[in-house]
Amino acid sequence: MAATRPKYYLTTPIYYTNGLPHIGHTYSTIVCDTVRRYKRMCGYDVVMTTGTDEHGVNVERAARKAGISETEFVSKMAVEWRRTWDELGIQGDEFIRTTDVNHARTVQWLFKLCRDNGYVYKGHYTGQYCIHDNAFVSDAKPGDPCPDCGRPTETVTEENYFFKLSAFQKPLLDFYAKNPSFIQPETRRNEVLSFVEGGLKDLSITRTSIRWGIPVPGEEPHVFYVWFDALTAYLSAVGGPDYEGRGFWPADVHLVGKEIIRFHAVYWPAFLMAAMLPLPKQIWAHGWLLMDSTKMSKSLGNVVRPKPIVDVLGMDALRYFLLREVVFGQDGNFSYDALIQRYNADLANGLGNLASRVLTMIEKYFDGKIPNSLSGVRLLEGEGNPDRGIKETAQFVAGEDVRLAGARGYLVKFDFSRALEAIWTLISAVDAYLTTMQPWVLAEDESKRERLATVLYISAEALRFVAVLAHPVLPDSTSKLWRQLGQTGPLGGQSIDALRWGHLKPGTKIAKAETLFPRVEKAEAIGRMEAMESEPQKPVTAPATGASSGAAAAQATNHKISIEDFAKVEMRVGQVKTAERVQGADKLLKLTVDIGTEVRQIVAGIAQQYDPDKLIGRKVIVVVNLQPRKLRGVESNGMIVAAAVGPEGRPVLAGFHEEVEVGARLK
Ligand code: MSP
């Protein structure tokens, strides 16, 4: 019964609205969504929140640049963030915006509690402030750069309200000692401990230099410091001042990136202690997604958006890659190469191929019904036989003992990579089992009918285990597999605790095998994703049907597009004027190209094939009406056309055998 289910509350950070989601943000959100689904299957009443952090100088500036009010700007951006999660099938239970009235009420209430309890006082502060990170930089002198982002700091003097953070050094250290798993992983815990042990300075929690923020009641022009405002969103999402009514506070886990651990593990618990409110149970700080060994971030311009990957490979492929490839808690590299590698090896050839083999044989040899095999259900045969081996592997993988590859044990520890590895040991075991048992040979001998039934029953039952266990990570494809196995009801509603060997009912009609993960050709898939990545982003005001749904329609009609669509691409003959390597990026060249009407700067991924000096004077084909984008921080204003040759997609520049005039349009 719903009323008696234990509650579980987890959160993603709330994301800044001065940019759009990339796969770094997507990573945090996917992890949370996976935990949410897993906890549901364990019988919890789960709330997961995500949302947008909408105040501060950066938004003020971005709105000004866009020529619209802050309110209008953040509303549009919030729509985009929500839409991204919807498109990825991630359903947060609450989407919190810091411009919500209820949120403002909660921030003001929290401030009043801290103040009434004697932890807030008025003072002046002069310091070096990093506008990008919304933080004063302690111990910085005028002219010093921000140690986090490297941008110049600005000297700011303000009348502020201060929070007596210094009073919480001992209470915090006592709390960490009593709750050793409060900060995860261990490295972050140590980092926070030494920071707090080094002494805590009081913190200014209001600003008068910023207009776009939540007002401090009766103290205008003071507005709240963005972090006092943002952290409180976790509480306002589940009732704010009335949190007891909903029963979800304190949160079970705040999942964050490692760069914001201090705000979560020091400031936030101190605010709550001051207000005498319960503290969250755990802060889990994961590592960064890197692109060529550098943090993927909007300001560096090295971001990859989730949509092109999802359009080409499907949402589950992105989820699987991020959770399998990146060791949770550590940094991990993203590359299209590795993504496709994993997709083809583990999903298309692994799970997808196994499912299709088993289902096709059941269709063929048993008229599409789960075979009736008493020994498959009960496994009466002796110890050590291969049938029993599969059953045992399935039971171990469904268990919590990590020494026996218990995926659930890993999931509890947020060790997603190992959990998936464990589930894949079952897939490989069934693959090997089929190779040994050769059901296609058994099928030729009528006297082996019972044996054939047992082998296929066992394989299908193992697939049912895989569907249930992998569902939190692969919600779409496992749900398909579930239906293909003839199972009814939503897979997400299944109880993982009730997963028992032999519950697959003989005689159940299976559905037709449908390819779960079509194999893709590496260079072609990467080409499609990169092309979509370089498509202009939809303006925030555009309706939901945009460029990408046009691409989907093109796919549906066998990749054919109308002449009008082709005419949208403006290609012209260009001539390379200068060419040089981009520092720190071994594939990129920075070119200037004369396109007849102007000279453009274009960055091209051809450095490994073309010597910059030999390109000067060469005529190339340029797509001139692409929106500018940054590659490794360097602006590229157009694209040079090249063929992708061989399995690695080696670029070969397109050109002409006859003399052509610079600026001529290609038709
Ligand atoms: N608004 C603050 C958070 C307030 S929470 C009360 C903020 N926003 S953010 O838009 O910059 O998002 C930061 C978070 O996004 C990181 O902590 C992390 O969860 C995620 N990531 C952003 N880039 C990332 C990577 N390159 N790799 C992994 N996660 C990344 O900070």
Side-chain angles (χ1 to χ4, degrees), residues 13-16 22 24-25 27-28 53 227 230-231 234 256-257 259-260 264 286-289 295-296:
I14 52 165
Y15 303 110
Y16 288 133
H22 56 68
H25 307 110
Y27 177 55
S28 311
D53 187 353
W227 277 100
L231 290 160
Y234 297 137
V256 299
E259 78 289 357
I260 54 175
H264 284 79
H286 63 69
W288 288 335
L289 219 54
K295 184 188 179 206
M296 186 179 289

Side-chain angles (χ1 to χ4, degrees), residues 12-19 22-29 51-54 81 132 134 226-227 229-234 255-261 263-264 286-291 294-298 302-303 331-332:
T12 75
I14 52 165
Y15 303 110
Y16 288 133
T17 42
N18 54 329
H22 56 68
I23 60 169
H25 307 110
T26 309
Y27 177 55
S28 311
T29 313
T52 39
D53 187 353
E54 303 184 0
W81 279 86
H132 178 261
N134 287 306
V226 280
W227 277 100
D229 166 348
L231 290 160
T232 310
Y234 297 137
L255 203 122
V256 299
K258 65 181 182 183
E259 78 289 357
I260 54 175
I261 185 75
F263 299 101
H264 284 79
H286 63 69
W288 288 335
L289 219 54
L290 312 175
M291 190 75 177
T294 317
K295 184 188 179 206
M296 186 179 289
S297 85
K298 176 178 165 262
N302 59 349
V303 299
D331 293 350

